[in-house]
Coordinates of all heavy atoms in Angstrom, one line a residue:
L294 N 15.7 18.7 -5.0 CA 15.4 17.3 -4.7 C 15.4 16.4 -6.0 O 14.7 15.4 -6.0 CB 14.1 17.1 -4.0 CG 13.9 18.0 -2.7 CD1 12.4 17.8 -2.2 CD2 14.8 17.6 -1.7
K295 N 16.2 16.8 -6.9 CA 16.2 16.2 -8.3 C 15.5 14.9 -8.5 O 14.5 14.8 -9.1 CB 17.7 16.1 -8.7 CG 18.4 17.4 -8.8 CD 19.9 17.2 -9.0 CE 20.7 18.5 -9.1 NZ 20.4 19.5 -8.1
S296 N 16.1 13.8 -8.0 CA 15.6 12.4 -8.3 C 14.3 12.2 -7.6 O 13.6 11.2 -8.0 CB 16.6 11.4 -7.9 OG 16.8 11.4 -6.5
E297 N 13.8 13.0 -6.7 CA 12.6 12.8 -6.0 C 11.4 13.5 -6.5 O 10.3 13.3 -6.1 CB 12.8 13.2 -4.5 CG 13.9 12.5 -3.8 CD 13.8 11.0 -3.6 OE1 12.7 10.5 -3.8 OE2 14.8 10.4 -3.4
Q298 N 11.6 14.3 -7.6 CA 10.5 15.2 -8.0 C 9.3 14.4 -8.5 O 8.2 14.9 -8.4 CB 11.0 16.2 -9.1 CG 11.3 15.6 -10.4 CD 11.8 16.6 -11.4 OE1 13.0 17.0 -11.3 NE2 11.1 16.9 -12.4
S299 N 9.4 13.2 -9.0 CA 8.3 12.5 -9.5 C 7.4 12.0 -8.3 O 6.2 11.6 -8.5 CB 8.7 11.3 -10.3 OG 9.4 10.4 -9.4
R300 N 7.9 12.1 -7.1 CA 7.2 11.7 -5.9 C 6.5 12.9 -5.2 O 5.8 12.7 -4.2 CB 8.1 11.0 -4.9 CG 8.7 9.7 -5.5 CD 9.8 9.2 -4.6 NE 9.3 9.0 -3.2 CZ 10.1 9.0 -2.1 NH1 11.4 9.2 -2.3 NH2 9.6 8.9 -0.9
V301 N 6.5 14.1 -5.8 CA 5.9 15.3 -5.3 C 4.9 15.8 -6.2 O 5.1 15.9 -7.4 CB 7.0 16.3 -5.0 CG1 6.4 17.6 -4.5 CG2 8.1 15.8 -4.0
K302 N 3.7 16.2 -5.7 CA 2.6 16.7 -6.5 C 2.1 18.0 -5.7 O 2.2 18.0 -4.5 CB 1.5 15.7 -6.6 CG 0.3 16.1 -7.3 CD -0.7 14.9 -7.3 CE -2.1 15.3 -7.5 NZ -3.0 14.2 -7.4
V303 N 1.7 19.0 -6.5 CA 1.1 20.2 -5.9 C -0.3 20.4 -6.3 O -0.7 20.2 -7.4 CB 1.9 21.4 -6.4 CG1 1.4 22.7 -5.7 CG2 3.4 21.2 -6.2
V304 N -1.2 20.6 -5.3 CA -2.6 20.9 -5.5 C -3.0 22.1 -4.7 O -2.3 22.6 -3.8 CB -3.4 19.6 -5.0 CG1 -3.1 18.4 -5.8 CG2 -3.3 19.4 -3.5
S305 N -4.3 22.5 -4.9 CA -4.8 23.6 -4.0 C -5.9 23.0 -3.2 O -6.4 21.9 -3.4 CB -5.4 24.7 -4.9 OG -6.6 24.2 -5.6
F306 N -6.2 23.7 -2.1 CA -7.4 23.3 -1.3 C -8.0 24.6 -0.6 O -7.3 25.6 -0.4 CB -7.0 22.3 -0.2 CG -6.3 22.8 1.0 CD1 -7.0 23.1 2.2 CD2 -4.9 23.1 1.0 CE1 -6.3 23.6 3.3 CE2 -4.3 23.6 2.1 CZ -5.0 23.8 3.3
D307 N -9.3 24.5 -0.3 CA -9.9 25.7 0.3 C -10.8 25.3 1.5 O -11.5 26.1 2.0 CB -10.6 26.6 -0.7 CG -11.8 25.9 -1.4 OD1 -12.0 24.7 -1.1 OD2 -12.4 26.5 -2.2
G308 N -10.9 24.0 1.8 CA -11.8 23.6 2.9 C -10.9 23.1 4.0 O -9.8 23.5 4.3
L309 N -11.5 22.1 4.7 CA -10.7 21.5 5.8 C -9.6 20.6 5.2 O -9.8 19.8 4.3 CB -11.6 20.6 6.7 CG -12.7 21.3 7.5 CD1 -13.6 20.2 8.1 CD2 -12.0 22.1 8.6
V310 N -8.4 20.8 5.8 CA -7.3 20.0 5.3 C -7.4 18.5 5.4 O -7.0 17.8 4.5 CB -5.9 20.6 5.9 CG1 -5.8 20.2 7.4 CG2 -4.7 20.1 5.1
V311 N -8.1 18.1 6.4 CA -8.3 16.6 6.6 C -9.2 16.1 5.5 O -9.0 14.9 5.1 CB -8.8 16.2 8.0 CG1 -7.8 16.4 9.0 CG2 -10.1 16.9 8.3
N312 N -10.2 16.9 5.0 CA -11.0 16.5 3.9 C -10.2 16.4 2.7 O -10.4 15.5 1.8 CB -12.2 17.4 3.8 CG -13.2 17.3 4.9 OD1 -13.2 16.3 5.7 ND2 -14.1 18.3 5.0
T313 N -9.3 17.3 2.5 CA -8.4 17.3 1.3 C -7.5 16.0 1.3 O -7.4 15.3 0.3 CB -7.6 18.6 1.2 OG1 -8.4 19.7 1.2 CG2 -6.6 18.6 0.0
A314 N -7.0 15.8 2.5 CA -6.1 14.6 2.7 C -6.9 13.3 2.3 O -6.4 12.5 1.5 CB -5.6 14.5 4.1
E315 N -8.1 13.2 2.9 CA -8.9 12.0 2.6 C -9.2 11.9 1.1 O -9.1 10.8 0.5 CB -10.2 12.1 3.4 CG -11.1 10.9 3.2 CD -12.4 11.0 4.1 OE1 -13.1 12.0 4.0 OE2 -12.6 10.1 4.9
S316 N -9.6 13.0 0.5 CA -10.0 13.0 -0.9 C -8.8 12.6 -1.8 O -9.0 12.0 -2.9 CB -10.6 14.3 -1.4 OG -9.6 15.3 -1.5
L317 N -7.6 12.8 -1.4 CA -6.4 12.5 -2.2 C -5.8 11.1 -1.8 O -4.8 10.7 -2.3 CB -5.3 13.6 -2.0 CG -5.7 14.9 -2.6 CD1 -4.7 16.0 -2.1 CD2 -5.8 14.9 -4.1
G318 N -6.4 10.5 -0.8 CA -5.9 9.2 -0.4 C -4.7 9.2 0.5 O -4.0 8.3 0.7
A319 N -4.5 10.4 1.1 CA -3.3 10.6 2.0 C -3.7 10.0 3.4 O -4.8 10.3 3.9 CB -3.0 12.0 2.2
T320 N -2.8 9.3 4.0 CA -3.0 8.7 5.3 C -2.2 9.4 6.4 O -2.3 9.2 7.5 CB -2.7 7.2 5.3 OG1 -1.4 7.0 4.9 CG2 -3.7 6.4 4.5
L321 N -1.3 10.3 5.9 CA -0.4 11.1 6.8 C -0.6 12.5 6.5 O -0.7 12.9 5.3 CB 1.1 10.7 6.5 CG 1.4 9.2 6.7 CD1 2.9 9.0 6.2 CD2 1.2 8.8 8.1
M322 N -0.5 13.3 7.5 CA -0.4 14.8 7.4 C 1.0 15.2 7.9 O 1.3 14.8 9.1 CB -1.5 15.5 8.1 CG -2.8 15.2 7.5 SD -4.0 16.5 7.3 CE -3.7 17.6 8.6
L323 N 1.7 15.8 7.1 CA 3.1 16.2 7.4 C 3.2 17.6 7.9 O 2.6 18.5 7.3 CB 3.9 16.1 6.1 CG 5.4 16.2 6.2 CD1 6.1 15.2 7.1 CD2 6.0 16.1 4.8
R324 N 3.8 17.8 9.1 CA 3.9 19.1 9.7 C 5.3 19.3 10.2 O 5.9 18.4 10.8 CB 2.9 19.3 10.9 CG 1.5 19.0 10.5 CD 1.0 20.0 9.4 NE 1.1 21.4 9.8 CZ 1.0 22.4 9.0 NH1 0.9 22.1 7.7 NH2 1.1 23.6 9.4
G325 N 5.9 20.5 9.9 CA 7.2 20.8 10.4 C 7.1 21.6 11.7 O 6.2 22.3 12.0
L326 N 8.1 21.3 12.6 CA 8.2 22.0 13.9 C 9.5 22.8 14.0 O 10.5 22.2 13.8 CB 8.1 21.0 15.0 CG 6.8 20.2 15.2 CD1 7.0 19.2 16.3 CD2 5.6 21.1 15.4
R327 N 9.4 24.1 14.2 CA 10.6 24.9 14.4 C 10.9 25.1 15.9 O 12.0 25.2 16.3 CB 10.3 26.3 13.8 CG 10.2 26.3 12.3 CD 9.9 27.7 11.8 NE 8.6 28.0 12.3 CZ 7.6 28.7 11.6 NH1 7.9 29.1 10.4 NH2 6.5 29.0 12.2
D328 N 9.9 25.2 16.7 CA 10.1 25.5 18.1 C 8.9 25.1 19.0 O 7.9 24.5 18.4 CB 10.4 27.0 18.4 CG 9.3 27.9 17.8 OD1 8.1 27.5 17.7 OD2 9.6 29.1 17.5
S329 N 8.9 25.4 20.3 CA 7.8 24.9 21.1 C 6.5 25.7 20.8 O 5.4 25.1 21.1 CB 8.2 25.2 22.6 OG 8.4 26.5 22.8
T330 N 6.5 26.9 20.3 CA 5.3 27.6 19.9 C 4.6 26.8 18.8 O 3.4 26.6 18.8 CB 5.6 29.0 19.4 OG1 6.3 29.7 20.4 CG2 4.4 29.7 19.0
D331 N 5.4 26.3 17.8 CA 4.8 25.5 16.7 C 4.3 24.2 17.3 O 3.2 23.8 16.9 CB 5.9 25.1 15.7 CG 6.3 26.2 14.7 OD1 5.6 27.2 14.6 OD2 7.2 26.0 13.9
F332 N 5.0 23.6 18.2 CA 4.6 22.3 18.8 C 3.2 22.5 19.5 O 2.3 21.7 19.2 CB 5.6 21.8 19.8 CG 5.2 20.6 20.5 CD1 5.3 19.4 19.9 CD2 4.7 20.6 21.8 CE1 4.9 18.2 20.5 CE2 4.3 19.4 22.4 CZ 4.4 18.2 21.7
N333 N 3.0 23.5 20.3 CA 1.7 23.7 21.0 C 0.6 23.9 20.0 O -0.5 23.2 20.1 CB 1.8 24.9 21.9 CG 2.7 24.6 23.1 OD1 2.9 23.5 23.5 ND2 3.3 25.7 23.6
Y334 N 0.8 24.7 19.0 CA -0.3 24.9 18.0 C -0.5 23.7 17.2 O -1.7 23.3 17.0 CB 0.2 26.1 17.0 CG -0.7 26.2 15.9 CD1 -2.0 26.9 16.0 CD2 -0.4 25.7 14.6 CE1 -2.8 27.0 14.9 CE2 -1.2 25.9 13.5 CZ -2.5 26.5 13.7 OH -3.3 26.6 12.6
E335 N 0.5 23.0 16.7 CA 0.4 21.8 15.9 C -0.2 20.7 16.6 O -1.0 19.9 16.1 CB 1.7 21.4 15.3 CG 2.3 22.4 14.3 CD 1.5 22.5 13.0 OE1 0.6 21.7 12.7 OE2 1.7 23.5 12.3
M336 N 0.0 20.5 17.9 CA -0.6 19.5 18.7 C -2.1 19.7 18.8 O -2.9 18.7 18.7 CB 0.0 19.4 20.2 CG 1.3 18.8 20.2 SD 1.3 17.0 19.7 CE 0.3 16.3 21.0
Q337 N -2.5 21.0 19.0 CA -4.0 21.3 19.0 C -4.6 20.9 17.6 O -5.7 20.3 17.6 CB -4.2 22.7 19.2 CG -3.9 23.1 20.7 CD -4.1 24.6 20.9 OE1 -4.1 25.4 19.9 NE2 -4.3 25.0 22.1
M338 N -3.9 21.3 16.5 CA -4.5 21.0 15.2 C -4.5 19.5 15.0 O -5.5 19.0 14.4 CB -3.6 21.6 14.1 CG -3.7 23.2 14.1 SD -5.4 23.7 13.9 CE -5.7 23.1 12.2
A339 N -3.5 18.8 15.4 CA -3.4 17.3 15.2 C -4.6 16.6 16.0 O -5.2 15.7 15.5 CB -2.1 16.8 15.7
G340 N -4.8 17.1 17.2 CA -5.9 16.6 18.0 C -7.3 16.8 17.3 O -8.1 15.9 17.2
M341 N -7.5 18.0 16.8 CA -8.8 18.3 16.1 C -8.9 17.5 14.8 O -10.0 16.9 14.5 CB -8.9 19.8 15.8 CG -9.0 20.6 17.0 SD -10.5 20.2 18.0 CE -11.8 20.9 17.0
N342 N -7.8 17.4 14.0 CA -7.8 16.7 12.8 C -8.1 15.2 13.0 O -8.8 14.5 12.3 CB -6.6 16.9 12.0 CG -6.5 18.3 11.4 OD1 -7.5 18.9 11.1 ND2 -5.3 18.7 11.1
S343 N -7.5 14.7 14.1 CA -7.7 13.3 14.4 C -9.1 13.0 14.9 O -9.7 12.0 14.5 CB -6.7 12.9 15.6 OG -6.9 11.5 15.9
A344 N -9.7 14.0 15.6 CA -11.1 13.8 16.0 C -12.0 13.8 14.7 O -13.1 13.1 14.7 CB -11.5 14.9 16.9
L345 N -11.7 14.6 13.7 CA -12.5 14.7 12.5 C -12.3 13.5 11.6 O -13.2 13.0 11.0 CB -12.2 15.9 11.7 CG -12.6 17.2 12.4 CD1 -12.0 18.4 11.7 CD2 -14.1 17.4 12.5
K346 N -11.0 13.0 11.4 CA -10.7 11.9 10.5 C -9.6 11.1 11.2 O -8.4 11.2 11.0 CB -10.1 12.4 9.2 CG -11.0 13.4 8.4 CD -12.1 12.6 7.7 CE -13.0 13.6 7.0 NZ -14.2 13.0 6.5
H347 N -10.0 10.1 12.1 CA -9.1 9.4 12.9 C -8.2 8.5 12.1 O -7.1 8.1 12.6 CB -9.9 8.5 13.9 CG -10.6 7.4 13.3 ND1 -11.7 7.6 12.5 CD2 -10.4 6.1 13.4 CE1 -12.2 6.4 12.1 NE2 -11.4 5.5 12.6
Q348 N -8.5 8.2 10.8 CA -7.6 7.4 10.0 C -6.4 8.1 9.4 O -5.5 7.5 8.9 CB -8.5 6.7 8.9 CG -8.9 7.6 7.8 CD -10.2 8.4 8.1 OE1 -10.7 8.5 9.3 NE2 -10.9 8.9 7.1
I349 N -6.4 9.4 9.6 CA -5.3 10.2 9.1 C -4.4 10.6 10.2 O -4.9 11.3 11.2 CB -5.8 11.5 8.3 CG1 -6.7 11.0 7.1 CG2 -4.7 12.3 7.8 CD1 -7.4 12.1 6.3
Q350 N -3.2 10.2 10.2 CA -2.2 10.4 11.2 C -1.3 11.7 10.9 O -0.9 11.8 9.8 CB -1.3 9.2 11.4 CG -0.3 9.3 12.5 CD 0.6 8.1 12.6 OE1 0.5 7.2 11.7 NE2 1.4 8.0 13.6
T351 N -1.1 12.5 11.9 CA -0.2 13.6 11.8 C 1.2 13.2 12.2 O 1.4 12.6 13.2 CB -0.7 14.8 12.6 OG1 -2.0 15.2 12.2 CG2 0.3 16.0 12.5
I352 N 2.2 13.5 11.3 CA 3.6 13.2 11.5 C 4.3 14.6 11.7 O 4.2 15.4 10.8 CB 4.2 12.4 10.4 CG1 3.4 11.1 10.1 CG2 5.7 12.2 10.6 CD1 3.6 10.1 11.3
F353 N 5.0 14.8 12.8 CA 5.8 16.0 13.0 C 7.3 15.7 12.6 O 7.8 14.7 13.1 CB 5.7 16.4 14.4 CG 4.3 16.7 14.9 CD1 3.8 16.0 16.0 CD2 3.6 17.7 14.3 CE1 2.5 16.3 16.5 CE2 2.3 18.0 14.8 CZ 1.8 17.3 15.9
V354 N 7.9 16.6 11.9 CA 9.3 16.5 11.7 C 10.0 17.8 12.2 O 9.5 18.9 12.0 CB 9.6 16.3 10.2 CG1 9.1 14.9 9.7 CG2 9.1 17.3 9.3
P355 N 11.1 17.7 12.9 CA 11.8 18.8 13.4 C 12.5 19.6 12.3 O 13.0 18.9 11.4 CB 12.7 18.3 14.5 CG 13.0 16.9 13.9 CD 11.8 16.4 13.3
A356 N 12.7 20.9 12.5 CA 13.5 21.6 11.5 C 14.9 21.2 11.7 O 15.4 20.9 12.8 CB 13.4 23.1 11.9
S357 N 15.6 21.0 10.6 CA 17.0 20.7 10.6 C 17.8 21.8 11.1 O 17.4 23.0 11.1 CB 17.5 20.3 9.2 OG 16.9 19.1 8.7
P358 N 19.0 21.6 11.7 CA 19.8 22.6 12.3 C 20.0 23.8 11.3 O 20.3 23.5 10.1 CB 21.1 21.9 12.6 CG 20.7 20.5 12.8 CD 19.6 20.2 11.8
G359 N 19.8 25.0 11.8 CA 20.1 26.2 10.9 C 18.8 26.6 10.1 O 18.9 27.6 9.5
L360 N 17.7 25.9 10.3 CA 16.5 26.3 9.5 C 15.3 26.7 10.4 O 14.3 27.1 9.8 CB 16.1 25.1 8.6 CG 17.1 24.7 7.5 CD1 16.6 23.5 6.7 CD2 17.4 25.8 6.6
G361 N 15.4 26.5 11.7 CA 14.3 26.7 12.6 C 13.8 28.2 12.6 O 12.7 28.4 13.0
H362 N 14.6 29.1 12.2 CA 14.3 30.5 12.3 C 13.6 31.0 11.1 O 13.1 32.2 11.1 CB 15.5 31.4 12.6 CG 16.5 31.3 11.5 ND1 17.3 30.1 11.4 CD2 16.8 32.1 10.5 CE1 18.1 30.3 10.3 NE2 17.8 31.5 9.8
I363 N 13.5 30.2 10.0 CA 13.0 30.7 8.7 C 11.4 30.6 8.7 O 10.9 29.6 9.0 CB 13.5 29.9 7.6 CG1 15.1 30.0 7.6 CG2 13.0 30.4 6.2 CD1 15.7 29.0 6.6
T364 N 10.8 31.8 8.4 CA 9.4 31.8 8.2 C 9.1 32.5 6.9 O 9.8 33.4 6.5 CB 8.6 32.5 9.3 OG1 8.9 33.9 9.3 CG2 9.0 32.0 10.7
G365 N 8.0 32.1 6.2 CA 7.6 32.8 5.0 C 7.3 34.3 5.3 O 7.6 35.2 4.4
T366 N 6.7 34.6 6.4 CA 6.4 36.0 6.8 C 7.6 36.8 6.8 O 7.7 37.9 6.3 CB 5.6 36.0 8.1 OG1 4.4 35.3 8.0 CG2 5.3 37.5 8.5
L367 N 8.7 36.3 7.5 CA 9.9 37.1 7.7 C 10.6 37.2 6.3 O 11.2 38.3 6.0 CB 10.8 36.4 8.7 CG 10.4 36.5 10.1 CD1 11.3 35.7 11.0 CD2 10.3 38.0 10.6
V368 N 10.6 36.2 5.5 CA 11.2 36.2 4.2 C 10.5 37.3 3.3 O 11.2 38.1 2.7 CB 11.1 34.9 3.5 CG1 11.4 35.0 2.0 CG2 12.1 33.9 4.1
R369 N 9.2 37.3 3.4 CA 8.4 38.4 2.6 C 8.8 39.8 3.1 O 9.1 40.7 2.3 CB 6.9 38.2 2.8 CG 6.3 37.1 1.9 CD 4.8 37.1 1.9 NE 4.2 37.2 3.2 CZ 3.9 36.1 3.9 NH1 4.1 34.9 3.5 NH2 3.3 36.3 5.1
Q370 N 8.9 40.0 4.4 CA 9.2 41.3 5.0 C 10.6 41.7 4.6 O 10.8 42.9 4.2 CB 9.0 41.3 6.5 CG 7.6 41.2 6.9 CD 7.4 41.0 8.4 OE1 8.4 40.7 9.2 NE2 6.2 41.1 8.9
I371 N 11.6 40.8 4.7 CA 13.0 41.1 4.4 C 13.1 41.5 2.9 O 13.7 42.4 2.5 CB 13.9 40.0 4.8 CG1 13.9 39.9 6.3 CG2 15.3 40.2 4.3 CD1 14.6 38.6 6.8
A372 N 12.4 40.7 2.1 CA 12.5 40.9 0.6 C 11.9 42.2 0.3 O 12.5 43.0 -0.6 CB 11.8 39.8 -0.1
K373 N 10.7 42.6 0.9 CA 10.1 43.9 0.6 C 11.0 45.0 0.9 O 10.9 46.1 0.3 CB 8.8 44.0 1.3 CG 7.6 43.2 0.7 CD 6.3 43.3 1.5 CE 5.3 42.5 0.9 NZ 4.0 42.5 1.7
M374 N 11.8 44.9 2.0 CA 12.7 45.9 2.4 C 14.0 45.9 1.8 O 14.9 46.7 2.2 CB 12.8 45.9 4.0 CG 11.5 46.2 4.7 SD 11.8 46.0 6.4 CE 10.1 46.2 7.0
G375 N 14.2 45.1 0.8 CA 15.4 45.0 0.0 C 16.6 44.2 0.7 O 17.7 44.3 0.2
G376 N 16.2 43.4 1.7 CA 17.3 42.6 2.3 C 17.6 41.3 1.5 O 16.9 40.9 0.6
D377 N 18.7 40.7 1.9 CA 19.2 39.5 1.2 C 18.5 38.3 1.9 O 18.7 38.0 3.0 CB 20.7 39.4 1.4 CG 21.3 38.1 0.8 OD1 20.6 37.5 -0.1 OD2 22.4 37.8 1.1
V378 N 17.7 37.6 1.1 CA 17.0 36.4 1.6 C 17.6 35.1 1.0 O 17.0 34.1 1.2 CB 15.5 36.5 1.3 CG1 14.8 37.6 2.1 CG2 15.2 36.6 -0.2
S379 N 18.7 35.3 0.3 CA 19.3 34.1 -0.3 C 19.6 32.9 0.6 O 19.5 31.8 0.1 CB 20.6 34.5 -1.1 OG 21.5 35.0 -0.3
P380 N 19.9 33.1 1.9 CA 20.2 32.0 2.7 C 18.9 31.2 3.1 O 18.9 30.2 3.7 CB 20.8 32.6 4.0 CG 21.2 34.0 3.6 CD 20.3 34.4 2.5
F381 N 17.7 31.8 2.8 CA 16.5 31.3 3.4 C 15.5 30.6 2.3 O 14.6 30.0 2.7 CB 15.7 32.4 4.1 CG 16.5 33.3 5.0 CD1 16.6 34.6 4.8 CD2 17.3 32.7 6.0 CE1 17.4 35.4 5.6 CE2 18.1 33.5 6.8 CZ 18.1 34.9 6.6
V382 N 15.8 30.8 1.0 CA 14.9 30.3 0.0 C 15.7 29.6 -1.1 O 16.9 29.9 -1.3 CB 14.1 31.5 -0.6 CG1 13.2 32.1 0.4 CG2 14.9 32.5 -1.3
P383 N 15.0 28.7 -1.8 CA 15.7 28.1 -2.9 C 15.9 29.1 -4.1 O 15.3 30.1 -4.1 CB 14.7 27.0 -3.4 CG 13.6 26.9 -2.4 CD 13.7 28.2 -1.5
K384 N 16.9 28.8 -4.9 CA 17.3 29.7 -6.0 C 16.1 30.2 -6.9 O 16.0 31.4 -7.2 CB 18.4 29.1 -6.9 CG 19.7 29.1 -6.2 CD 20.8 28.5 -7.2 CE 22.2 28.5 -6.6 NZ 22.4 28.5 -5.2

Side-chain angles (χ1 to χ4, degrees):
L294 305 175
K295 297 170 181 48
S296 64
E297 305 295 344
Q298 74 184 67
S299 65
R300 297 173 51 206
V301 177
K302 177 177 154 183
V303 183
V304 300
S305 67
F306 78 99
D307 64 357
L309 291 174
V310 70
V311 290
N312 291 343
T313 301
E315 182 179 53
S316 72
L317 295 168
T320 56
L321 304 172
M322 294 221 330
L323 186 60
R324 302 302 300 160
L326 297 176
R327 293 175 298 219
D328 57 25
S329 61
T330 303
D331 282 351
F332 178 77
N333 291 332
Y334 172 77
E335 294 294 347
M336 282 298 294
Q337 289 176 339
M338 292 302 296
M341 292 301 285
N342 288 335
S343 179
L345 293 168
K346 303 284 182 191
H347 70 290
Q348 70 276 18
I349 299 174
Q350 181 181 7
T351 300
I352 302 291
F353 300 120
V354 296
S357 291
L360 298 176
H362 61 285
I363 301 172
T364 71
T366 301
L367 290 175
V368 167
R369 284 192 308 273
Q370 289 172 348
I371 293 167
K373 282 180 185 176
M374 294 179 187
D377 178 16
V378 294
S379 61
F381 314 124
V382 296
K384 285 183 177 27

